Amino acid sequence: MDKLEAMRVFVEVTQANSFVAASRKLGISAPAVTRSIAQFEKTLGVRLFNRTTRHVRLTDSGIRFYQDAKRILDDVDQSVAAVSGSYTEPKGLLTITAPVLFGQLHVTSVITEYLQQHPSVSVRAVFYDRISNLLDEGLDIAIRIGQLKDSSIYAIPVGSVHRVLCASPRYLEKHGSPKHPNELVNHEIIQASTVEPSTTWQFESATGKTSTKVNPRLQCSQNGAAIEAAKQGLGITRLMSYQVGEELKNGSLTRVLANYQPPPLPVSIVHIEGRQAHAKIRSFIDLAVARLRANPFIDH
């Protein structure tokens, strides 16, 4: 059997947690994927997956083998790319991830510009509000907000953002603007759970740190919904500055308690350190750094 191809099938099944999803990605039938894995397990003499009617999970042997298989395939792909010129000319598939609203508002335009400049590159944009593992999830580039904890990635800072409290002028005219975080208990609160998962909100000012327990009238799992509710005058919400930059600029939302702002959070473009970067990665990073550093809704 072709062990390299079987290894590629194994890696795709692992990343997709599904034989069917892997078959779609590879462009082969699901039964062919199943046969390939079964033959590979027989050749190796170990079981790589535990299978049920609903789930596919790696065995302990499969977990150990996955990292080696991924590294081997990456080395092969890099060698092929080097020979074919992918390290000097941008081409192929580029996978980019970012937080949902940041991606929609500030990264999509960069991707569009990049694709117009490089016709031999295609992009898969994956926007979600969680920290992704670039290696395990097959991602080339991530835009991350917050302090970086993974020492295995290479990071380029592009600025910072911060949490802001805001409400519509109509709401503030009716209910007044709080002067201290403790006054939030007397206000209608809209909680954007991806920005503030807790109902105990932290504040910091020149006089020190303080925390306030809020009682949300509305809890939103999507930041866009919280923005819309605030614009309609439902109450005060707390969001990231880049999420409401346009609303603060056009006056549909107004900042409150600006003197009680938590420390800023860095915005970074990251990719895996130690790899020879493809031209597609280097060229996108160069463009993204320039555009994001010039973005008026990112602090510098």
Side-chain angles (χ1 to χ4, degrees):
M1 67 179 301
D2 186 337
K3 292 182 180 178
L4 197 62
E5 186 57 32
M7 198 178 296
R8 196 175 297 280
V9 173
F10 163 71
V11 168
E12 290 295 343
V13 172
T14 299
Q15 293 179 344
N17 287 321
S18 166
F19 280 46
V20 175
S23 72
R24 288 196 293 265
K25 180 76 177 293
L26 293 165
I28 59 178
S29 68
V33 170
T34 301
R35 286 194 300 270
S36 176
I37 294 298
Q39 292 172 5
F40 199 29
E41 289 176 326
K42 184 176 180 180
T43 300
L44 295 174
V46 297
R47 192 170 185 82
L48 298 172
F49 293 103
N50 289 317
R51 307 163 178 79
T52 67
T53 55
R54 294 186 177 181
H55 301 290
V56 177
R57 295 289 183 268
L58 287 172
T59 62
D60 290 342
S61 296
I63 292 172
R64 291 192 296 269
F65 183 61
Y66 170 70
Q67 295 298 335
D68 288 337
K70 187 71 169 62
R71 174 181 51 78
I72 291 168
L73 290 173
D74 285 344
D75 288 344
V76 170
D77 289 343
Q78 288 182 23
S79 296
V80 171
V83 171
S84 64
S86 293
Y87 285 107
T88 57
E89 178 187 351
K91 60 182 178 179
L93 175 64
L94 182 66
T95 305
I96 301 165
T97 186
V100 175
L101 266 183
F102 192 88
Q104 293 173 355
L105 296 173
H106 306 298
V107 179
T108 300
S109 60
V110 180
I111 292 173
T112 301
E113 181 181 356
Y114 178 79
L115 289 173
Q116 291 171 341
Q117 294 177 2
H118 301 286
S120 296
V121 180
S122 57
V123 169
R124 181 168 68 94
V126 185
F127 298 154
Y128 38 50
D129 292 322
R130 65 174 176 82
I131 299 298
S132 54
N133 185 301
L134 272 65
L135 179 61
D136 289 350
E137 299 181 42
L139 301 167
D140 295 310
I141 298 170
I143 290 86
R144 289 188 177 166
I145 298 174
Q147 301 296 332
L148 301 175
K149 299 179 181 179
D150 188 346
S151 60
S152 66
I153 59 176
Y154 177 71
I156 303 167
V158 295
S160 62
V161 294
H162 51 273
R163 293 182 177 88
V164 298
L165 267 78
C166 54
S168 72
R170 179 176 54 174
Y171 174 87
L172 295 175
E173 182 179 352
K174 181 177 180 180
H175 299 277
S177 183
K179 305 302 181 185
H180 188 276
N182 290 343
E183 296 178 24
L184 291 175
V185 297
N186 301 317
H187 283 269
E188 303 287 341
I189 299 296
I190 305 165
Q191 181 183 12
S193 58
T194 59
V195 174
E196 285 289 3
S198 171
T199 54
T200 299
W201 291 4
Q202 307 297 324
F203 297 89
E204 190 168 327
S205 68
T207 59
K209 298 179 180 180
T210 186
S211 61
T212 298
K213 178 75 172 178
V214 297
N215 183 27
R217 179 87 184 278
L218 173 64
Q219 295 175 303
C220 298
S221 62
Q222 295 293 323
N223 298 325
I227 294 172
E228 188 59 33
K231 287 167 62 177
Q232 292 181 16
L234 183 65
I236 297 174
T237 190
R238 193 178 212 181
L239 292 157
M240 302 304 299
S241 54
Y242 72 85
Q243 295 169 342
V244 292
E246 189 61 45
E247 287 76 12
L248 294 175
K249 181 180 178 181
N250 64 31
S252 58
L253 290 176
T254 300
R255 286 193 64 180
V256 298
L257 295 176
N259 293 329
Y260 293 89
Q261 177 178 290
L265 298 172
V267 180
S268 307
I269 301 175
V270 305
H271 65 96
I272 297 175
E273 188 177 11
R275 290 183 170 185
Q276 183 180 357
H278 289 69
K280 63 183 180 182
I281 296 175
R282 296 197 309 270
S283 56
F284 181 83
I285 289 175
D286 288 344
L287 178 64
V289 167
R291 295 296 177 265
L292 294 179
R293 285 180 177 172
N295 191 310
F297 300 126
I298 299 176
D299 300 330
H300 305 285

